[in-house]
């Protein structure tokens, strides 16, 4: 039996397992059980004669390259080939079939067999020349040509047996993964999902996910029978944390136990993602290695925000966005529903909010330039649509927290009802991005009737305990010029706290909690929650004063900001720069806080403001893959975090993005980006 071995170049070391014989002119010496060579310039093809059952391991710069013997190899005529592209890469070969394809790299041909239990899989820095297949389906040939053209480094070919093997180090990384002895559990016909009545919804999600990722459709049953093989779902009182779970796998079955249905759901997400990076082909099996995973989140508030005021997104996309949160073990959807540029939620007592306030007559072009497109733009959600979204999120253990921003960012409401402003108008729904000086008149009693009516209907739609009232970026100019406001006898910096207190009292009387941006800290009641966006410092101050805090600092969590410094080829015109590694580096608990203050940091979220996010694909592009980095900040304990390892897990997760039809930024994978920005 013979197998072709290719050595990495320039002083790197080749190590072969005992039993290998190297046929080459390289100087070699025997050291114990290995053969080694450190020839200064080792570049070329080498033939080794080996028993058919021995595995060899090539090592270059600490990277293992496994190769199993294969039948019917023929000697290659070409003797030399620069293979320095093997540097710092992994190349796994494992024979699974006598079927083969013939590939060409720089004029050198060799046979490639099924690799590492999957389809043909080649990983390297890139292809050096044309790639072609002989005597193979046209689809495979086209696939290889596409890989070459896009400079991608993974090839998967049809026609080969491929086993799907679960990888449990997913995103976010579970707190404890312990491999167990014994054989893997094989997902196959005859396996059933066993779930009690109160976990039927979770069972349906598992059934759907396995059908998508593993192409297997498992029935759901409520009773166990002898010799049955199950994925069993259960809530267990032994799991102390409500959102925690235990995932156990052995040769006989799979068990997912949660501290609640939410915990079970997160265990299901882990299983789903464990299979997401693999691709099974006809004849292959789905294998779950024996394991015990114990997991629970670091923070109780794990959120994402979506601004639907500046640009409106339809119900179907909002649901798709919520599915992204579920994929990342997030549990809060912060829905920004009103702003200067559009009011987006139906309020039946104040109907002009949607007939007038949801429509603007045009939108500025670029970054507040002198050009307006003069194109009508608008949209809003009916109360029934909003309830539909609330129910959709609840099924995925996500709470929808609505935001009605007040007393500033209210121009769309003032355009609808001019009497609510200090000047009485006229007003128009905002065309520009930024901060408008026209705000609610805090001395007008009709304003408080408006606020209470709006919040009454909001509370009826949204069962969330927390209601976000905004409170950011509220200029005092109009108040200083308003006779009514001045008649209150308060300093300008006391007017907004007066307004906030009245809103707080109203919501508290209805058993809800107030959440606002960190500007409302001064003068706010103790029970008011703060969302720290102007850095982490306001959040640290609020926590030290005893307020519950959600961190969302612009330094790490504003996903409308650019992902790369060179924004020439970026779709958004927004400023700022927050790359993936900066998101990953965030510690939401600032140094120096007392233990009591640390307990007030409820968690962290990222915000997607949409001034420059004009469509659904851009929204997905701006949040992915940064949402994945944020998920690990939210869920995983700091001691478990490792950015380099995260990138490997993230790369696997991108297959699930692709499978589910999400658009994601590819800066971390330049081989997946356009090879040219000018010639096509």
């Amino acid at each position: 039996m013979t197998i072709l071995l290719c050595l990495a170049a320039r002083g790197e070391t080749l190590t072969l397992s005992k039993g290998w014989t190297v046929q080459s002119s390289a100087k070699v010496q025997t050291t114990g059980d290995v053969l080694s060579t450190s020839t200064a310039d080792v570049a070329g093809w080498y033939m080794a004669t080996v028993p058919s059952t021995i595995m060899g391991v090539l090592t270059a710069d600490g990277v293992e390259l496994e190769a199993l013997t294969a039948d019917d190899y023929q000697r290659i005529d070409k003797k030399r080939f620069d293979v320095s592209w093997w540097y710092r890469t992994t190349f796994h070969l494992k024979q699974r079939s006598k079927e083969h394809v013939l590939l060409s790299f720089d004029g050198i041909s060799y046979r490639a067999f099924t690799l590492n239990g999957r389809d043909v899989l080649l990983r390297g820095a890139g292809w050096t020349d044309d790639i072609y297949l002989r005597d193979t389906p046209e689809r495979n040939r086209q696939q290889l040509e596409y890989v070459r053209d896009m400079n991608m480094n993974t090839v998967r070919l049809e026609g080969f047996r491929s086993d799907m093997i679960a990888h449990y180090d997913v995103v976010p990384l579970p707190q404890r993964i312990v491999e167990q002895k014994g054989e893997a559990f094989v997902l196959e016909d005859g396996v059933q999902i066993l779930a009690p009545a109160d976990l039927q919804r979770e069972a349906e999600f598992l059934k759907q996910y396995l059908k998508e990722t593993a192409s297997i459709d498992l029935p759901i049953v409520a009773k166990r029978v002898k010799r049955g093989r199950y994925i069993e779902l259960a809530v267990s009182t032994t799991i102390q944390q409500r959102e925690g779970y235990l995932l156990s796998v052995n040769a006989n079955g799979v068990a997912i136990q949660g501290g609640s249905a939410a915990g079970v759901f997160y265990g299901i997400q882990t299983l789903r993602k464990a299979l997401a990076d693999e691709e099974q082909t006809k004849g292959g099996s789905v294998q779950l290695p024996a394991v015990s995973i114990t997991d629970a989140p670091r923070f109780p508030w794990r959120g994402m925000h979506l601004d639907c005021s500046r640009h409106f997104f339809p119900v179907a996309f909002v649901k798709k966005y919520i599915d992204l949160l579920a994929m990342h073990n997030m549990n809060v959807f912060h829905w920004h529903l009103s702003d200067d540029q559009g009011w987006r939620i139906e309020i039946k007592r104040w109907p002009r909010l949607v007939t007038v306030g949801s429509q603007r007559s045009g939108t500025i072009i670029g970054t507040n330039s002198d050009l307006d497109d003069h194109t009508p733009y608008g949209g809003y959600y009916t109360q029934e649509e909003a309830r539909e979204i609330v129910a959709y999120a609840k099924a995925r253990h996500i709470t929808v927290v609505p935001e009605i921003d007040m007393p500033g960012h209210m121009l769309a409401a003032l355009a609808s009802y001019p009497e609510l402003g200090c000047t009485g108008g006229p007003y128009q729904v905002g065309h520009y991005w930024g901060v408008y000086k026209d705000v609610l008149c805090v001395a007008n009693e009709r304003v408080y009737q408006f606020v209470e009516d709006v919040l009454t209907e909001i509370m009826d739609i949204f069962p969330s305990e927390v209601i976000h009232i905004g409170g950011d970026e509220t200029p005092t100019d109009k108040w200083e010029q308003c006779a009514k406001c001045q008649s209150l006898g308060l300093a300008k910096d006391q007017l907004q706290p007066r307004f906030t207190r009245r809103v707080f009292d109203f919501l508290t009387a209805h058993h809800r909690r107030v959440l606002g941006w960190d500007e409302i800290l001064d003068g706010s009641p103790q029970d008011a929650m703060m969302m720290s966006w102007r850095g982490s410092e306001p959040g640290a101050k609020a926590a030290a004063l005893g307020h519950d805090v959600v961190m969302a600092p612009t330094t790490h969590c504003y996903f409308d900001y650019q992902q790369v410094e060179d924004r020439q080829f970026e779709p958004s015109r927004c400023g700022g720069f927050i790359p993936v590694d900066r998101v990953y580096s965030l510690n939401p608990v600032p140094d120096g806080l007392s233990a009591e203050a640390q307990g007030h940091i409820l968690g962290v979220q990222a915000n997607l403001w949409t001034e420059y996010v004009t469509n659904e694909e851009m929204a997905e592009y701006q949040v992915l893959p940064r949402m994945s980095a944020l998920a690990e900040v939210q869920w995983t304990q700091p001691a478990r975090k490792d950015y380099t390892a995260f990138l490997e897990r993230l790369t696997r997760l991108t297959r699930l993005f692709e499978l589910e039809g999400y658009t994601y930024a590819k800066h971390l994978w330049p081989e997946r980006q356009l090879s040219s920005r000018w010639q096509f």
Side-chain angles (χ1 to χ4, degrees):
M1 302 295 179
T2 58
I3 187 171
L4 186 65
L5 301 178
C6 189
L7 309 186
R10 294 172 182 80
E12 297 170 355
T13 301
L14 168 69
T15 303
L16 299 177
S17 296
K18 184 178 181 180
W20 292 79
T21 302
V22 176
Q23 300 175 353
S24 74
S25 58
K27 296 178 180 179
V28 298
Q29 64 182 32
T30 302
T31 306
D33 291 340
V34 302
L35 297 172
S36 63
T37 177
S38 56
T39 305
D41 185 7
V42 181
W45 295 102
Y46 294 85
M47 299 296 295
T49 302
V50 296
S52 61
T53 58
I54 292 182
M55 175 75 77
V57 180
L58 297 102
T59 303
D61 195 32
V63 179
E64 290 189 349
L65 313 161
E66 298 180 355
L68 188 68
T69 60
D71 292 337
D72 301 326
Y73 267 97
Q74 297 179 359
R75 187 152 187 145
I76 303 302
D77 293 334
K78 297 275 187 175
K79 295 294 184 183
R80 298 188 61 79
F81 177 51
D82 182 1
V83 290
S84 58
W85 61 279
W86 281 30
Y87 179 71
R88 294 185 63 82
T89 189
T90 304
F91 196 104
H92 292 284
L93 296 171
K94 186 175 181 181
Q95 183 187 11
R96 295 301 301 267
S97 168
K98 291 185 178 181
E99 296 180 82
H100 63 268
V101 295
L102 193 62
L103 307 182
S104 173
F105 297 89
D106 199 22
I108 300 174
S109 300
Y110 68 96
R111 298 174 189 266
F113 284 72
T114 312
L115 312 180
N116 199 29
R118 314 179 191 179
D119 291 356
V120 172
L121 176 59
L122 305 178
R123 288 179 176 157
W127 310 115
T128 60
D129 203 347
D130 290 347
I131 305 168
Y132 66 89
L133 288 148
R134 292 179 181 170
D135 302 324
T136 57
E138 178 65 23
R139 179 172 177 178
N140 282 355
R141 191 172 308 145
Q142 292 173 352
Q143 186 174 3
L144 281 175
E145 288 294 334
Y146 170 78
V147 168
R148 181 206 56 172
D149 292 342
M150 299 301 292
N151 195 27
M152 294 172 67
N153 60 13
T154 301
V155 184
R156 297 181 187 274
L157 303 179
E158 294 180 349
F160 291 84
R161 175 189 170 98
S162 173
D163 289 344
M164 178 181 288
I165 303 174
H167 296 269
Y168 299 117
D169 49 343
V170 299
V171 176
L173 183 65
Q175 308 299 358
R176 188 167 182 265
I177 305 173
V178 180
E179 295 182 2
Q180 303 293 306
K181 296 180 180 180
E183 297 181 359
F185 179 78
V186 179
L187 278 179
E188 57 190 355
D189 291 340
V191 175
Q192 298 175 318
I193 299 172
L194 178 62
D198 56 353
L199 291 177
Q200 287 298 300
R201 186 171 58 194
E202 285 67 32
E204 289 289 348
F205 280 122
L206 176 58
K207 176 184 176 74
Q208 171 191 333
Y209 294 149
L210 291 177
K211 194 171 182 179
E212 292 170 350
T213 59
S215 301
I216 187 168
D217 191 2
L218 302 183
I220 300 172
V221 298
K223 294 183 179 180
R224 182 186 297 274
V225 297
K226 290 183 178 180
R227 291 187 292 276
R229 303 181 69 243
Y230 300 103
I231 301 178
E232 183 174 4
L233 310 181
V235 172
S236 173
T237 57
T238 63
I239 298 175
Q240 296 181 351
Q241 287 191 257
R242 177 183 172 277
E243 294 183 300
Y245 68 88
L246 173 63
L247 172 59
S248 303
V249 180
N250 58 40
N252 297 319
V254 179
I256 301 175
Q257 296 176 297
S260 66
V264 173
F265 183 74
Y266 298 132
I268 289 170
Q269 291 294 336
T270 293
L271 183 58
R272 170 198 190 189
K273 287 176 283 193
L275 294 169
D277 72 306
E278 293 282 358
E279 185 173 345
Q280 183 196 22
T281 59
K282 186 175 181 180
S285 64
V286 181
Q287 300 186 24
L288 306 179
V291 75
S292 176
I293 299 175
T294 306
D295 200 12
R298 181 185 180 192
F299 292 108
W301 185 292
R302 305 180 304 281
M304 273 296 301
H305 156 286
L306 180 63
D307 168 17
C308 291
S309 175
R310 277 54 178 259
H311 282 96
F312 178 78
F313 296 92
V315 170
F317 176 75
V318 176
K319 290 180 177 180
K320 189 179 181 186
Y321 195 80
I322 288 170
D323 284 333
L324 261 185
L325 272 68
M327 182 190 300
H328 287 91
N329 295 15
M330 297 183 182
N331 63 355
V332 177
F333 173 46
H334 174 180
W335 199 6
H336 189 77
L337 289 167
S338 71
D339 219 298
D340 298 306
Q341 296 81 8
W343 187 281
R344 303 299 180 207
I345 182 70
E346 177 189 22
I347 302 297
K348 293 181 178 180
R349 295 183 190 178
W350 298 78
R352 296 211 310 264
L353 288 172
V354 293
T355 59
V356 175
S358 71
Q359 305 292 321
R360 60 178 180 258
S361 58
T363 304
I364 203 66
I365 298 174
T367 307
N368 289 339
S369 71
D370 292 327
L371 297 180
D372 192 293
D373 65 11
H374 301 293
T375 301
Y377 183 90
Y380 69 94
Y381 306 98
T382 67
Q383 292 193 5
E384 287 308 307
E385 287 174 327
R387 288 189 174 92
E388 181 183 337
I389 288 170
V390 168
Y392 190 88
K394 181 181 178 181
R396 290 152 181 80
H397 301 281
I398 294 170
T399 299
V400 180
V401 173
E403 180 186 357
I404 304 296
D405 205 346
M406 59 181 78
H409 289 287
M410 270 282 177
L411 188 58
L414 296 181
S416 306
Y417 296 95
E419 66 272 21
L420 300 178
C422 288
T423 69
Y427 308 104
Q428 71 168 349
V429 179
H431 290 215
Y432 294 90
W433 314 131
V435 179
Y436 289 82
K437 294 180 181 179
D438 286 301
V439 298
L440 294 177
C441 179
V442 295
N444 184 346
E445 281 302 313
R446 184 161 170 77
V447 164
Y448 295 99
Q449 185 61 56
F450 165 77
V451 168
E452 291 181 6
D453 287 347
V454 168
L455 292 177
T456 295
E457 294 193 31
I458 289 294
M459 288 187 288
D460 185 59
I461 299 167
F462 298 93
S464 167
E465 178 190 14
V466 177
I467 304 294
H468 203 307
I469 65 167
D472 62 317
E473 298 176 328
T474 304
T476 61
D477 303 59
K478 300 297 182 181
W479 295 340
E480 294 174 58
Q481 300 164 11
C482 174
K484 285 185 178 180
C485 292
Q486 291 303 304
S487 70
L488 296 174
L490 299 173
K492 64 180 182 180
D493 60 355
Q494 295 177 314
L495 292 171
Q496 185 171 351
R498 177 182 183 272
F499 173 87
T500 301
R501 165 61 81 173
R502 287 194 60 169
V503 177
F504 175 89
D505 289 344
F506 176 76
L507 287 172
T508 301
H510 289 78
H511 311 289
R512 303 298 179 98
R513 292 194 69 187
V514 169
L515 171 62
W517 301 107
D518 56 52
E519 285 97 329
I520 76 167
L521 175 60
D522 294 335
S524 284
Q526 188 73 27
D527 192 50
M529 298 170 60
M530 302 295 151
M531 185 163 280
S532 186
W533 73 278
R534 297 177 298 173
S536 297
E537 293 78 10
K541 178 181 176 182
L545 292 172
H547 293 274
D548 286 341
V549 175
V550 177
M551 290 294 189
T554 56
T555 53
H556 296 76
C557 295
Y558 268 46
F559 286 0
D560 50 323
Y561 287 11
Q562 301 290 350
Q563 304 183 61
V564 288
E565 289 186 281
D566 183 359
R567 63 192 66 176
Q568 180 180 2
F569 299 112
E570 291 304 293
S572 171
R573 306 320 303 163
C574 188
F577 171 51
I578 300 179
V580 174
D581 60 344
R582 184 179 299 172
V583 178
Y584 194 82
S585 70
L586 174 64
N587 183 2
V589 181
D591 294 335
L593 283 183
S594 67
E596 182 180 358
Q598 289 180 29
H600 285 293
I601 306 296
L602 300 184
V604 58
Q605 72 173 44
N607 301 328
L608 182 63
W609 302 103
T610 60
E611 289 92 337
Y612 304 100
V613 179
T614 59
N615 58 62
E616 298 170 19
E617 288 75 17
M618 284 183 68
E620 294 171 9
Y621 180 92
Q622 289 299 123
V623 301
L624 295 176
R626 291 185 289 191
M627 185 188 288
S628 305
L630 177 69
E632 203 132 301
V633 172
Q634 296 169 331
W635 185 277
T636 306
Q637 294 294 337
R640 292 275 290 161
K641 290 173 60 183
D642 180 280
Y643 183 67
T644 300
F646 163 75
L647 290 180
E648 295 179 7
R649 291 181 280 111
L650 176 60
T651 299
R652 295 200 299 270
L653 183 61
T654 59
R655 181 175 177 268
L656 189 54
F657 297 163
E658 294 165 359
L659 183 67
E660 300 292 351
Y662 289 103
T663 299
Y664 63 96
K666 299 175 180 176
H667 308 102
L668 296 175
W669 307 276
E671 70 279 0
R672 302 182 188 181
Q673 293 182 299
L674 289 175
S675 57
S676 171
R677 299 292 181 177
W678 185 251
Q679 294 182 333
F680 304 97

